[in-house]
Amino acid sequence: MSHYKEVREDAMRMDHIYTSGKVVESLLSLHDISIPNEAELVVICGRIYVNTFSITDPELHQIGSGLYLGASIFDHSCEPMATASFQSTTIYIRNIVDYPANLPIQKVTISYQDTLKPSSYRISELSGIYYFICQCERCSSNAYNSSMRAVLCQNRKPVCNSEIQVDVDDCCPECKYSLDETQISKIKETEDMVRGKLHEMQDVVYLDVCETCLNIMKSVNFSDTHWLVTSMASQAFDSSIDMNKWENAYKYGQLTLKGYRKYLSKSHPLLGILLLKLAKLSWYLDKEVEAKSFVVEARKIIDITHGQNSPFSLTQVFTLYKEIMY
């Protein structure tokens, strides 16, 4: 499917097609080859836009993009049945949940994007990039939406730390403490601020910004599994590793893990890679018990997502497993 109409109405992509077309036209003219007309270019580019995969390294860092005709058959779900991994430029699709052996391959789903966000954000992003409205079970049921925006009860008489589902009932299910308008306004202002900072740090992450945002969210009593806490903690985790701040990395990795465990499937590749990194950190920081627990779980997941006999599993995961366990 080319999504011709949607691409035509997408000003940013039409501008990209126009500028790229001029470059291609100049190159083809050197070989006396005519460029396709504009309508054909829109069709070609539309297919590329909606079927291109982000090529990642084994630790899920994007290193390129590729168009895979066979793999383009898989539809999206925010609760995917399978996941894509790469060895160089070769793509592998492996199931991460059990499903009937006679299930048609056209019914197997993968995830096109980050699922660690409330459904409204996921639906908006998928519509803007891939031109469809996600109707998967997770989006249709609004699963996890409430907990993804939860804050802790602020009642201190008596002390209560139950989660309050913002925009659901705005009161504590245990002690019935209600958030007032000022508190609700502060929560929403903080969410807007943190979303803005995450957007600003798409290319370069600043650890001090991450830590400031995490402290502000804590002061407003955001739950540890609020989606913005998880997102910012993940950024702080990677930034701490880049800066060789191992104790910080361990702390932020543990915080990230809370959200991953709650919102990702038990065999999700992101969970496996996070556990692997936490195993390395734990081992380096002489946390032997934690290292053993993390590496066992990480190996189990990565054998599924990357393949038990993949170079990454054999040379990285199994090597670390042997070092820690034996």
Side-chain angles (χ1 to χ4, degrees):
M1 185 178 294
S2 67
H3 292 280
Y4 179 87
K5 179 177 180 294
E6 291 87 349
V7 175
R8 273 287 191 188
E9 295 172 352
D10 190 325
M12 185 175 296
R13 282 184 165 168
M14 285 303 298
D15 182 62
H16 178 259
I17 291 171
Y18 177 79
T19 54
S20 299
K22 289 298 182 182
V23 174
V24 172
E25 185 177 21
S26 65
L27 293 173
L28 292 180
S29 66
L30 299 175
H31 305 279
D32 294 325
I33 301 174
S34 298
I35 190 171
N37 62 44
E38 184 177 304
E40 291 174 321
L41 275 179
V42 172
V43 169
I44 292 168
C45 291
R47 287 176 175 153
I48 292 173
Y49 290 143
V50 300
N51 290 299
T52 295
F53 281 78
S54 294
I55 300 173
T56 59
D57 65 15
E59 293 190 352
L60 306 180
H61 302 119
Q62 184 174 349
I63 56 176
S65 300
L67 189 61
Y68 297 87
L69 297 182
S72 66
I73 193 174
F74 297 105
D75 285 333
H76 165 84
S77 172
C78 296
E79 289 282 11
M81 303 163 68
T83 187
S85 63
F86 299 83
Q87 290 180 29
S88 184
T89 56
T90 302
I91 190 171
Y92 294 84
I93 306 293
R94 295 183 174 91
N95 64 297
I96 56 175
V97 298
D98 293 330
Y99 53 80
N102 62 350
L103 183 74
I105 193 169
Q106 296 90 339
K107 298 294 184 180
V108 177
T109 57
I110 60 175
S111 178
Y112 293 177
Q113 54 133 36
D114 178 9
T115 58
L116 291 163
K117 298 177 181 179
S119 59
S120 59
Y121 294 98
R122 299 196 308 270
I123 290 171
S124 176
E125 289 177 2
L126 287 166
S127 176
I129 298 171
Y130 299 102
Y131 308 120
F132 72 88
I133 302 299
C134 186
Q135 297 178 332
C136 73
E137 182 177 350
R138 184 164 176 169
C139 286
S140 300
S141 64
N142 293 318
Y144 303 118
N145 280 1
S146 297
S147 59
M148 279 188 169
R149 295 193 59 220
V151 297
L152 299 179
C153 179
Q154 299 176 38
N155 189 8
R156 294 295 173 262
K157 296 179 181 180
V159 174
C160 178
N161 286 314
S162 297
E163 288 189 352
I164 298 177
Q165 315 298 331
V166 178
D167 286 343
V168 175
D169 50 19
D170 293 337
C171 74
C172 177
E174 296 297 325
C175 69
K176 306 307 178 185
Y177 174 88
S178 295
L179 297 172
D180 59 35
E181 290 300 320
T182 301
Q183 291 169 322
I184 294 173
S185 177
K186 181 63 175 176
I187 290 167
K188 293 182 178 179
E189 287 175 8
T190 302
E191 288 179 329
D192 290 342
M193 182 274 293
V194 175
R195 280 202 311 272
K197 293 300 180 184
L198 285 169
H199 180 75
E200 291 173 9
M201 295 191 296
Q202 289 183 93
D203 298 319
V204 180
V205 177
Y206 300 100
L207 181 58
D208 58 339
V209 174
C210 295
E211 291 179 327
T212 298
C213 288
L214 287 167
N215 288 333
I216 291 173
M217 287 188 282
K218 185 175 182 179
S219 73
V220 188
N221 289 319
F222 279 32
S223 164
D224 282 351
T225 54
H226 190 294
W227 77 276
L228 289 171
V229 173
T230 300
S231 296
M232 194 60 77
S234 175
Q235 297 279 35
F237 173 67
D238 289 335
S239 182
S240 296
I241 290 176
D242 290 342
M243 299 174 68
N244 297 336
K245 294 188 174 184
W246 310 124
E247 291 284 359
N248 272 16
Y250 185 79
K251 176 178 70 174
Y252 294 127
Q254 290 275 42
L255 182 56
T256 304
L257 185 60
K258 292 181 180 181
Y260 279 25
R261 287 201 187 282
K262 188 164 187 174
Y263 303 124
L264 299 177
S265 67
K266 63 181 181 180
S267 296
H268 198 286
L270 280 175
L271 178 59
I273 294 300
L274 175 60
L275 288 165
L276 182 68
K277 291 179 178 180
L278 283 171
K280 293 178 183 178
L281 283 169
S282 302
W283 189 240
Y284 179 80
L285 295 171
D286 295 323
K287 301 177 186 290
E288 183 177 349
V289 174
E290 292 86 347
K292 287 183 176 180
S293 176
F294 287 139
V295 80
V296 167
E297 191 176 359
R299 184 187 177 195
K300 181 179 178 181
I301 295 172
I302 293 171
D303 278 353
I304 293 171
T305 59
H306 292 61
Q308 188 173 2
N309 296 316
S310 68
F312 182 66
S313 293
L314 294 175
T315 62
Q316 299 290 321
V317 182
F318 185 59
T319 299
L320 181 66
Y321 178 86
K322 287 194 298 182
E323 180 182 349
I324 293 175
M325 299 302 292
Y326 302 118

